[in-house]
Amino acid sequence: MLRQYELVERVISYDPDADVAALNRAYVYTVQKHGSQKRASGDPYFSHPVEVAGLMTDLQLDQETIMTALLHDTVEDTLATIEDIEENFGPDVARLVDGVTKLSKIEAMPDNERAAENLRKFLLAMSEDIRVLLVKLGDRLHNMRTLHFIKSPEKRLRIARETMDIYAPLAERVGMYEYMREMQLLAFEQIEPEAYRTITGRLEQIRQQDGGQVDAIALAIKQALAEAGLKVEVSGREKHPYSIWKKMAERHVSFEQVTDIFAFRVITESDSDCYRALGVLHSTWQFIPGRFKDYISTPKSNGYRSLHTSLIYENSMRVEVQIRTGDMHQTNEFGLAAHWAYKQGDTPDGQVGWLRDLIEIVDASHDAEELLEHTRLAIYQDRIFAFTPKGALHQLPKGSTPVDFAFAVHTDLGAQTVGAKINGRHMPLRTVLNNGDVVEIIKGKSPEPQLSWLAFVVTGKARASIRRAVRLKERDEVASIGRMLFDEIVTRVPAKIGKKATRDAVKRLDLEDEDELMYLIGSGRIDDRAVMEALVPGCTADLEVPIDWSRQERVISIRGLTPGVGFQLAECCHPVPGDRIVGLRLPGKRVEVHAIDCIELASGIDADWLDLSWGKQSIGAVGRLRVTLYDRPGTLAEMAGIFAQNLANVKTLLHVQKEHPFSGYEVDLEVQDLAHLTRILSALRASDAIAQAERI
């Protein structure tokens, strides 16, 4: 532990004008207030804030930050108050201590205690001074260094996961790579102890068997650059164990297959020397295509600047080389903290814009397990932050919509989304969210992500989840339709069809299994005659006439409505039984029933949304198709023939396009249900007379 005079001497070494008396008072104050309190290690508790203050002096931070580090736990863990801090050390230090204290308290709060308004106020106050975060990162780093003293494995694991998911990415976001790497290593040891032991053990073996190879490569690089007239410093090291583990996991390879274990850093005197050094290295050794990155001309959003390349050294050894100036190296290792050195006096103008957004992700992981499983933290330059009604905060890329938000909260919630309220008002799902919006997701009873959502979602998680669910849903739905059609086909076969006959039919058609047969039937890729012939060879001459359902009474019933409430099927989307539907309840009007992907729902209609479903006896709704025919004799008759063959009653036929060689029609068809409509579409698309057929 740093002694009082040692800490003061550190500050004086880079800030000769520092108020020594104030620093001494802060040191004595924290020792007195924490008194006989002990840490899990058995050390006096005040050793922790003193060590955190020491970390801040390593970054050469200003006097107020050092005092904040010394005092950061006094309000939370002793009888001291913010008023006491302000009275003794001034309003600026009190404000910083209050910010760190609030952050610690919010970490410990259960979800239901997080009030959205209070959380917003905290985040806004926090973002006004990045020094609060710098002290918190130092606090977390020292806690990780002593984490092994905590006896509870569950608590160690929770803290390690929180560090890996929140604080290490935060350190990276402000460019503090030294902090990030050490946090990741210490957290990795707790989260994956076996992998940690294996990788560090293998690195130790390499080190023992190395025979000075790292030093030899570093010397060769330095000599090659010196011969070109460049004055440089070169250092080499093994890759960070967690970095190796990430590569193994991402690439699905073993330790032996990770080829670039060694990394070298070249420090030059100027920007132009960086590019000269790069040219020398690329002309001396073969570089690996696709592995060169220029972060000097295009710095990372956290200010990181360097050239990265990978070379093939002797014996096909791959090595990574980073080339940068001394100033770049200082900024790269300590990032934004380097700009808070006393001589700087203020944050660079370019950094101010994203500070407010940056701090808000601190609260994103109110449940570390859920974050790790579903919303692994990713930090981008341009982000917005939205709240749940209970105050939980979620970080999203700019341009995100309520659907992105729902998937960020939980995959299941995203899949069940049918509507959303933004700041208490019903809004379309394609609405772009603004910073600070409170988003309430309205969910249905079953998970059914919509393909149309891909047109407006922006997060990778939402897009991947929708694509996966839609693929499975479409195949299942088509196969389900195919099974119903198969049952109808079977009624026309002059024999009793059992499992054996179906298995034999699958073999005759050279298909993989029964599910593939049902999918082909539902998608219209195999016709009824071929299926019947496969079931009972030679039977296709004796076909029975199917039941004409259109002669049955038209009945539509909707579940989810209050008894006695009237409804009408929306003319804009023409929902039919089998569609996922919602209701819009407008004052003084009947409930409008819309298909979930109706474009009118994106117009911002201010109405109550109802989660509805079709009654079992629903039959005979009107679906609308847009059919584009080739403009030649007989094509219209062929389209009408397809409707007749499929027993669909044409309600209206509107000619909407004539542009050689095409002719377009909008057709309203009275159909049995979605399966019936899908079969008609399949038949239309299979016809040579028809260029395109789609549902409107």
Side-chain angles (χ1 to χ4, degrees), residues 133-326:
L133 177 59
L134 300 182
V135 173
K136 188 60 189 177
L137 290 175
D139 170 61
R140 177 51 62 114
L141 178 59
H142 185 256
N143 281 334
M144 288 301 297
R145 288 175 176 176
T146 58
L147 183 63
H148 58 283
F149 288 113
I150 294 177
K151 293 181 179 179
S152 168
E154 293 79 13
K155 186 175 182 180
R156 290 199 306 271
L157 185 60
R158 177 183 62 78
I159 294 172
R161 287 192 184 281
E162 189 177 70
T163 299
M164 188 71 85
D165 290 328
I166 298 176
Y167 291 102
L170 273 170
E172 181 182 20
R173 184 61 180 85
V174 293
M176 297 175 68
Y177 286 93
E178 282 289 337
Y179 276 40
M180 178 200 74
R181 284 191 287 266
E182 187 173 352
M183 285 182 187
Q184 287 177 337
L185 181 64
L186 294 168
F188 177 44
E189 183 179 6
Q190 297 294 329
I191 296 170
E192 295 285 353
E194 186 175 342
Y196 173 85
R197 286 192 297 269
T198 300
I199 292 175
T200 53
R202 296 301 298 276
L203 289 174
E204 180 60 31
Q205 289 178 8
I206 291 174
R207 206 173 294 121
Q208 293 174 356
Q209 300 167 4
D210 173 53
Q213 188 176 34
V214 172
D215 292 338
I217 297 173
L219 181 61
I221 292 173
K222 187 170 184 176
Q223 287 176 341
L225 296 175
E227 290 173 3
L230 290 166
K231 186 178 180 181
V232 299
E233 295 178 12
V234 182
S235 59
R237 58 177 175 81
E238 300 104 352
K239 282 287 189 70
H240 192 274
Y242 177 68
S243 173
I244 294 173
W245 169 250
K246 272 180 62 177
K247 286 187 177 181
M248 290 169 61
E250 290 170 358
R251 301 178 187 175
H252 304 287
V253 297
S254 65
F255 183 90
E256 289 75 15
Q257 292 172 298
V258 179
T259 53
D260 48 350
I261 297 294
F262 298 113
F264 296 85
R265 183 170 293 141
V266 176
I267 306 296
T268 69
E269 293 184 329
S270 67
D271 291 17
S272 60
D273 283 352
C274 291
Y275 290 101
R276 288 180 59 201
L278 178 72
V280 171
L281 295 180
H282 280 188
S283 60
T284 306
W285 293 283
Q286 180 183 350
F287 85 98
I288 302 172
R291 299 297 301 275
F292 168 64
K293 294 177 182 177
D294 185 349
Y295 293 121
I296 294 179
S297 63
T298 309
K300 292 184 179 182
S301 60
N302 58 18
Y304 179 94
R305 300 176 71 216
S306 183
L307 298 177
H308 290 193
T309 189
S310 290
L311 307 173
I312 298 179
Y313 193 68
E314 298 171 2
N315 302 321
S316 299
M317 177 185 293
R318 296 187 177 198
V319 296
E320 180 184 294
V321 183
Q322 299 172 354
I323 309 170
R324 61 184 64 162
T325 66

Side-chain angles (χ1 to χ4, degrees), residues 480-495:
S480 177
I481 292 169
R483 192 165 293 280
M484 290 188 291
L485 296 175
F486 176 81
D487 291 340
E488 188 269 329
I489 292 170
V490 165
T491 64
R492 292 183 265 143
V493 175

Side-chain angles (χ1 to χ4, degrees), residues 614-647:
W614 298 95
K616 288 185 177 179
Q617 302 303 318
S618 293
I619 187 172
V622 175
R624 177 169 292 176
L625 305 181
R626 186 181 189 90
V627 184
T628 303
L629 307 177
Y630 289 105
D631 190 12
R632 56 177 182 251
T635 55
L636 182 59
E638 186 162 342
M639 178 179 72
I642 290 172
F643 295 151
Q645 289 168 10
N646 286 275
L647 303 175

